[in-house]
Amino acid sequence: MISSVSRRALYGLATSSRFESLVKATGYTEDLAYRAAKRYVAGRTLDETVETVRRLAESGFGVCLDLFGEGNDDEEGVRRVVAGYEEAAAALSGTGGDVYLEIVPSNLGLDLGVDVCRRHVERLVELLPTGSRLEVSAEESWRTPRIMDLTLALAGDGAPLVATVQANLKRSPADVERLLEAGVPVRLVKGAYLETSEVAHPWGEPTDTAYLHLAHQVHAGGAGLVLATHDPVIREALLAAVPSAAVEMLLGVREDDARALVTRGHTVRIYAPYGQSWFRYWMRRVAEAQGT
């Protein structure tokens, strides 16, 4: 049934609190949905998540761990998110894995103000083990200016960051220049949000072309480059030109490709989100699989 629903409609369902409530109305329907979502989710509980991280580390992958959530505009809620990351950092300390933490800025109070979010993110920076980094996620274009301000402010304080740039956004070349000046590594994604033509390139060839140009811009500027795409044509073309680039892939997507890249000697990090708010993330993955 899902395969007959358009990508735009699925994105609408992914952001519908009413639809999520209907699915989670009974244990049966929620468990049914989670069985389908599980391939993309590191775990609903921290114990499940730690086991997933161990499995990925044993297979030669780095991990980017993200606690589900977005649009958190309540200070107490933000503090709970920080506490969740603290608990995760403590639990992961004995795994021996190469684990980064990922943050969604709006889950840490961005909508309350850049300074509010920055204060909470600085606490997470303190939790990072030696050699780890904090990956700053991209969100909708209307939040992008504040995310850039947050990222550059943290970088100015010496925080070990990886910024995320969406190739479909028309503003991205200018954002890359600012990140290059600050020496911030860039994780390049195509862009997962439905945006208007005023701010974004159409999905398909225009976004693919933008992705290639931005990757070369980052490399020419001397910053670290992370190719966060499952498009094998684009990925292989860029790895041939920039063999030092790392690769990031989503948990549960093109797993054979990820293993092959590790075998070939490439650095591959798996984005592994976890927590109770898994439903909207899963719906977005389903939407992306439907194309335009």
Side-chain angles (χ1 to χ4, degrees):
M1 182 176 68
I2 283 179
S3 64
S4 66
V5 181
S6 73
R7 182 171 180 259
R8 183 172 293 274
L10 286 167
Y11 269 117
L13 292 175
T15 56
S16 169
S17 298
R18 184 170 182 270
F19 181 65
E20 181 176 0
S21 296
L22 286 171
V23 172
K24 292 184 174 182
T26 70
Y28 173 76
T29 54
E30 180 173 358
D31 287 345
L32 190 65
Y34 185 68
R35 282 201 293 272
K38 190 175 180 180
R39 63 179 289 187
Y40 306 111
V41 178
R44 284 183 288 190
T45 68
L46 188 53
D47 286 345
E48 292 174 353
T49 303
V50 170
E51 288 306 309
T52 300
V53 170
R54 286 200 176 101
R55 173 176 61 80
L56 292 169
E58 289 169 358
S59 297
F61 298 115
V63 178
C64 179
L65 195 65
D66 181 12
L67 178 59
F68 283 125
E70 59 187 44
N72 197 345
D73 59 2
D74 172 70
E75 274 278 13
E76 181 57 35
V78 174
R79 283 192 285 271
R80 285 195 295 270
V81 173
V82 174
Y85 274 112
E86 290 175 338
E87 185 182 8
L92 291 165
S93 61
T95 64
D98 174 14
V99 182
Y100 288 7
L101 293 182
E102 165 127 0
I103 61 160
V104 176
S106 72
N107 198 26
L108 286 162
L110 183 71
D111 296 346
L112 297 172
V114 172
D115 289 341
V116 172
C117 184
R118 180 180 176 182
R119 184 177 72 249
H120 291 294
V121 175
E122 286 171 346
R123 173 62 188 136
L124 299 188
V125 171
E126 296 174 0
L127 303 176
L128 293 174
T130 302
S132 185
R133 289 184 178 270
L134 194 71
E135 294 199 349
V136 182
S137 182
E139 300 193 61
E140 298 93 336
S141 62
W142 61 271
R143 286 189 172 116
T144 301
R146 280 177 289 163
I147 292 174
M148 280 294 300
D149 290 344
L150 171 70
T151 302
L152 292 170
L154 291 166
D157 290 339
L161 304 175
V162 178
T164 303
V165 172
Q166 299 179 87
N168 68 324
L169 296 186
K170 294 178 180 180
R171 60 171 288 149
S172 288
D175 287 342
V176 165
E177 283 304 312
R178 296 176 68 193
L179 294 167
L180 291 175
E181 290 174 6
V184 179
V186 173
R187 176 178 60 176
L188 188 58
V189 301
K190 287 190 178 182
Y193 297 94
L194 293 175
E195 303 283 0
T196 66
S197 60
E198 286 77 17
V199 300
H201 302 292
W203 187 259
E205 185 175 337
T207 291
D208 293 350
T209 301
Y211 192 102
L212 291 166
H213 286 313
L214 287 166
H216 286 292
Q217 181 185 358
V218 172
H219 178 58
L225 172 63
V226 182
L227 304 173
T229 177
H230 297 96
D231 186 322
V233 175
I234 288 178
R235 186 183 63 233
E236 291 301 320
L238 287 171
L239 286 175
V242 189
S244 61
V247 175
E248 187 166 313
M249 301 179 73
L250 301 175
L251 181 66
V253 180
R254 291 186 176 268
E255 294 175 319
D256 289 344
D257 284 5
R259 285 189 287 269
L261 286 164
V262 169
T263 300
R264 288 163 49 192
H266 292 290
T267 299
V268 179
R269 189 171 301 278
I270 302 298
Y271 171 77
Y274 75 102
Q276 295 295 327
S277 302
W278 51 268
F279 181 79
R280 295 187 180 195
Y281 175 80
W282 169 57
M283 289 298 296
R284 285 178 178 151
R285 297 288 76 78
V286 174
E288 288 173 1
Q290 299 310 112
T292 56

